[in-house]
Amino acid sequence: MEISELTAAEVRVWQAFRTGEPVDFREAGGDNAADGADWGPERSVRASVLRFLLLNNPHVEGEIPRLRLSGARITGQLNLMYAVVDHPLHLRYCHFDESPDFYGTRLRQLNLRGSVLPAVNLASTRIDGPLRMTDCRVRGPVRLAGAEIAGALFMDGAEVTTSDPSVPVLQLHQCVFGDGFAAPGLRVRGEVLLDGATVGGSVNLEGAELSNPGGHALRAQSLEVRADVRARGLRAEGGVDLRGARIPGRLDLMRSRLSNPDGIALRASSCVIGELWLFRSEPLDGILHLRRSRIDVLGFEPEVVPGEVLFNNLTYTSLTPHEPADHRLPLLEREGDGYVPHAYEQLAASYRHVGDEGAARRVQLAKLRRHRATLPWLGRVWGHLQDLTVGYGFRPLRAAVWLLSLLAVGSIAYAAHHPRPLKASEAPEFNPVFFTLDLLLPVISFGQEGAFAPEGGYQYLSYVLILTGWILATTVIAGVSRSVTRQ
């Protein structure tokens, strides 16, 4: 390509490239790259000219060539598939008529800040520095699958949309970021795909708006992050799927709004997470799925999760903020798998971890009552007896109340009507209190029961006292044994 074949705008870019000088076609008051289709030849540059510069490296001795272009309309397709570009590439606030193709390209650095593109293909790209797409407007898929970026990916304030919701619009699966993924204020209409990505720093989605109703707003299965996922104020219409993710720091979803009414709003199953925060978020509109995950600190207010949950085999060390057991227990009653003993045991363990034994016992009692509903009728009857008499061993004072009540009834009845002695010459002096105790206590004997024989209705009363004494003693032993075993 000869310089005589170039337009005035292209000559300016050609000459500036050789010495690394910037070229800025923007007007003094600034302009909008979205209007770039109306820009004339005075600020238009053919993609073929840029390709020739980048691949043929015209330069001035002693200078470092760089392409630093701002505010240009780039006509035609910039195709750099499999190319090795040794120069930093800055195409800021530019309007691309066609989607650039960087598939398999090796780049030093790429800056597309503020540019408008129909789409962009950066799949399998290798970038030795950062990739900047801050404030970009992309009207089709951004393909970065399998890319390796030594620095960070910046998409703060960017907007990505698509007319085909069946294709993920932001494709970051299997990417490797040496630093972080910074996208506060990102707006996406379609699916964001981060499956299998590795992020050497943090993921920042604070204030992002992700919309894909009926599908996944964010799918990041097996995501590995070395630090935190910061997503305060996230607005997601569609499911957020983080199954299998590894986040040693904090997954921060404070003040977020997650909505997927017909499915799972947040799925973080089989994950390993340092801290999961949902504090002061809007009530989840959909299911919260945390099965098989290990979380050190799980933080949310009960009202944040008003719907169905899936907590089977979820393990956490502490649950914050500290709430009374009666505020947390309704959540377990909305378990999608029905009665899940592990969920109750885990909640009780978290209360014990902070020294609230009373709340832990309340959870254990609720677990046994929930379990009772799953038993055959005979088991339910026996369970009701244990609950009524000693609260499954967690209410031992009830046994004393029952004993005193029955003792009072029997003592009054037999004091008013002494039973006849079986052998008058050998019978001890009748004592209604100890006679009633003999009937109630199945093991201890005071010598009264075998010496006197009540008659009529008082005989039936003795049968009732004997039967209730055995039931009471059995339930006390069973309940106390269960309680001691747990301790």
Side-chain angles (χ1 to χ4, degrees), residues 178-460:
D179 195 348
F181 172 35
L186 173 69
R187 299 185 300 279
V188 178
R189 302 294 178 266
E191 181 179 340
V192 177
L193 184 59
L194 264 166
D195 285 359
T198 301
V199 182
S202 296
V203 174
N204 187 341
L205 291 170
E206 293 187 355
E209 297 178 8
L210 312 180
S211 179
N212 189 28
H216 286 107
L218 172 62
R219 195 171 76 192
Q221 299 176 17
S222 301
L223 171 68
E224 184 173 342
V225 178
R226 303 290 167 78
D228 305 318
V229 174
R230 302 195 296 270
R232 291 192 179 189
L234 174 69
R235 299 292 183 263
E237 294 184 42
V240 174
D241 189 348
L242 298 167
R243 79 183 79 174
R246 299 292 182 268
I247 305 170
R250 184 174 65 249
L251 173 56
D252 188 349
L253 292 164
M254 287 180 63
R255 296 189 293 274
S256 62
R257 184 180 67 205
L258 308 182
S259 176
N260 190 22
D262 299 322
I264 297 172
L266 174 60
R267 178 168 188 167
S269 58
S270 302
C271 292
V272 177
I273 301 173
E275 301 179 25
L276 171 55
W277 289 7
L278 282 164
F279 300 120
R280 296 189 290 280
S281 294
E282 295 186 22
L284 287 181
D285 189 6
I287 299 169
L288 176 60
H289 188 338
L290 299 177
R291 285 187 191 137
R292 300 177 302 278
S293 288
R294 298 199 308 275
I295 303 172
D296 289 337
V297 179
L298 179 57
F300 64 91
E301 298 88 356
E303 58 271 17
V304 169
V305 188
E308 183 179 337
V309 299
L310 296 170
F311 282 177
N312 200 0
N313 288 317
L314 166 66
T315 302
Y316 50 90
T317 303
S318 62
L319 183 62
T320 60
H322 186 74
E323 297 275 354
D326 288 341
H327 292 183
R328 296 287 186 185
L329 283 169
L331 188 69
L332 304 188
E333 295 171 2
R334 300 194 298 272
E335 169 64 53
D337 293 331
Y339 169 62
V340 176
H342 180 269
Y344 287 89
E345 293 291 342
Q346 183 60 64
L347 181 57
S350 72
Y351 279 117
R352 289 197 191 96
H353 181 73
V354 296
D356 193 344
E357 290 293 337
R361 288 193 296 271
R362 178 73 183 87
V363 173
Q364 292 282 9
L365 181 57
K367 171 196 169 187
L368 293 166
R369 288 172 174 168
R370 183 85 183 276
H371 174 62
R372 184 174 65 208
T374 68
L375 299 174
W377 72 269
L378 188 58
R380 292 197 299 273
V381 169
W382 177 240
H384 277 294
L385 283 173
Q386 293 186 78
D387 195 0
L388 183 65
T389 53
V390 291
Y392 285 101
F394 295 105
R395 303 287 187 268
L397 289 179
R398 286 187 184 178
V401 173
W402 279 104
L403 278 173
L404 291 174
S405 300
L406 293 171
L407 179 61
V409 170
S411 298
I412 293 170
Y414 292 118
H417 190 281
H418 288 201
R420 66 177 180 82
L422 293 176
K423 295 180 180 181
S425 60
E426 300 177 4
E429 182 181 352
F430 179 75
N431 186 308
V433 175
F434 284 98
F435 179 76
T436 306
L437 282 174
D438 256 353
L439 296 174
L440 283 173
L441 302 179
V443 177
I444 300 174
S445 175
F446 295 98
Q448 294 279 318
E449 181 184 1
F452 299 92
E455 296 177 344
Y458 296 97
Q459 184 177 12
Y460 289 107

Side-chain angles (χ1 to χ4, degrees), residues 12 23-33 39 43 69-72 92-94 113-114:
R12 183 179 170 188
V23 175
D24 193 344
F25 289 110
R26 289 178 294 172
E27 298 176 356
D31 47 21
N32 192 343
W39 294 342
R43 57 189 300 183
L69 178 60
S70 300
R92 302 165 68 245
Y93 304 102
C94 291
R113 183 187 185 103

